[in-house]
Amino acid sequence: LKREGFSKIPDVKWEDVGGLDLHREKFDRYIINRIKYPEDCVKFGVDLDMGILLYGPPGCGKTLIAEAVANESRANFIHVKGPEILNKYVGQSEEDLRAKFNLARTCAPCILFFDEVDALTTKRGNEGGQVVERLLNQFLVELDGAGQRQGVFVIGATNRPEVMDPAVLRPGRFGKLLYVRLPGRVDRGSILKALARKKPVDEDVDLNDIGRRDACEGLSGADLKALMNEAAMAALEEKWRLGSGSDDMESDTIKERHFDQALKKIT
Ligand code: ATP
């Protein structure tokens, strides 16, 4: 399914996403099942053209969810960064945008993911002037290109939904808005557990307990990833410090004390 090196099925699984269970249900409903069972959708006359906008603070898993959705539905994934399209020569931005939608159609089923989509859909009459307005219009044309959009599902992500033109948020365009919030105490434990899938965390470490600590208050998913990396580094450095003589199972895992050290460093 790989084409032109731009699209592929990501290897992010739902297990890699911590918390956000409600989002998972919604995506099952609005995208994954529709890609898996297209005949049923036709039979029941369910409208397939629906974009979803994920909004919320940075580093909380918007990109990660979009990748997991593609993986889960075995769809190709095209990642477009809004500002990259915007910062082109006059006329080139619209051309690029059209090309992304065309590419998505050629490798359907496909998730077309627009990161920082506010850069492409800024309110009319706002900062940016004509360039931004032309781009917005092109974006609307593409989103409305129903019929030809079979198998292309658009997901947008933004930290600033309030600067987006309301026309983009109508049904059939980004008709569904999902808020991806900063994780709470319980979610932080789930995220740490998801991140621990790829790390040798000692089985005595209670990640739920670490997530509930006051020191973790306000940390995003991306911050928790940094915490996990710091803890892994601390464990590795300790192993090296102790030298080759300690090359046993005991020194090969990340322990509670390493998380303590990492937390001090990060917060
Ligand atoms: P931005 O607005 O900055 O683009 P984002 O919401 O798209 O942020 P991601 O890029 O998905 O955030 O998250 C950055 C990294 O943080 C991810 O690659 C992942 O490692 C980690 N992360 C964030 N949220 C979660 C989560 N809910 N579960 C597991 N890991 C997470």
Side-chain angles (χ1 to χ4, degrees):
L1 274 174
K2 208 167 172 181
R3 251 178 250 248
E4 294 184 41
F6 288 115
S7 63
K8 62 176 194 303
I9 301 178
D11 57 11
V12 175
K13 304 246 164 38
W14 268 122
E15 298 91 85
D16 296 315
V17 184
L20 303 170
D21 293 340
L22 277 176
H23 295 71
R24 179 178 178 160
E25 261 172 49
K26 294 242 155 76
F27 277 107
D28 270 338
R29 183 151 184 240
Y30 295 126
I31 298 188
I32 297 170
N33 287 338
R34 290 172 189 220
I35 292 179
K36 280 190 180 163
Y37 314 110
E39 296 87 2
D40 287 346
C41 295
V42 172
K43 209 184 292 170
F44 284 80
V46 168
D47 183 8
L48 286 169
D49 300 302
M50 176 155 349
I52 296 184
L53 181 70
L54 297 170
Y55 68 104
C60 292
K62 295 186 288 300
T63 308
L64 203 65
I65 302 174
E67 289 177 326
V69 168
N71 178 296
E72 205 66 17
S73 43
R74 307 315 295 159
N76 281 305
F77 185 78
I78 300 176
H79 190 157
V80 183
K81 298 193 169 87
E84 260 171 38
I85 295 249
L86 178 65
N87 297 325
K88 290 277 164 68
Y89 301 110
V90 178
Q92 187 63 44
S93 299
E94 293 100 294
E95 193 50 51
D96 276 13
L97 192 60
R98 203 174 307 136
K100 297 295 181 194
F101 276 88
N102 282 338
L103 175 66
R105 276 188 285 268
T106 64
C107 62
C110 180
I111 305 289
L112 184 51
F113 178 66
F114 288 96
D115 208 355
E116 298 182 63
V117 68
D118 48 279
L120 306 176
T121 55
T122 313
K123 271 184 198 141
R124 282 175 232 271
N126 227 350
E127 40 185 289
Q130 273 196 341
V131 175
V132 164
E133 188 154 340
R134 274 211 310 272
L135 201 49
L136 169 68
N137 288 334
Q138 181 67 35
F139 204 93
L140 294 176
V141 166
E142 293 295 346
L143 282 178
D144 290 344
Q148 300 131 48
R149 260 214 293 142
Q150 287 123 342
V152 176
F153 291 82
V154 183
I155 302 178
T158 179
N159 310 320
R160 313 189 298 159
E162 67 282 357
V163 306
M164 290 173 63
D165 198 276
V168 188
L169 306 178
R170 294 215 193 105
R173 295 175 178 168
F174 286 117
K176 297 272 170 221
L177 270 66
L178 294 180
Y179 182 52
V180 181
R181 66 188 173 103
L182 204 65
R185 296 158 83 83
V186 176
D187 295 331
R188 290 196 295 265
S190 308
I191 293 174
L192 285 171
K193 282 196 251 171
L195 291 165
R197 288 181 68 232
K198 290 176 180 156
K199 297 259 192 303
V201 176
D202 199 277
E203 55 187 30
D204 288 341
V205 176
D206 184 346
L207 292 170
N208 283 328
D209 173 69
I210 294 176
R212 277 193 294 266
R213 290 188 196 172
D214 286 344
C216 284
E217 196 61 49
L219 297 189
S220 68
D223 295 330
L224 292 168
K225 182 185 188 178
L227 173 71
M228 187 58 90
N229 279 336
E230 280 296 338
M233 280 291 282
L236 189 59
E237 276 163 7
E238 186 183 285
K239 177 184 161 80
W240 285 342
R241 215 169 30 245
L242 295 176
S244 56
S246 69
D247 196 15
D248 53 50
M249 296 294 279
E250 178 53 21
S251 62
D252 274 347
T253 57
I254 308 170
K255 305 199 170 49
E256 176 123 12
R257 61 175 178 279
H258 303 126
F259 282 97
D260 293 336
Q261 288 168 31
L263 262 176
K264 266 192 212 122
K265 210 162 187 178
I266 283 215
T267 55

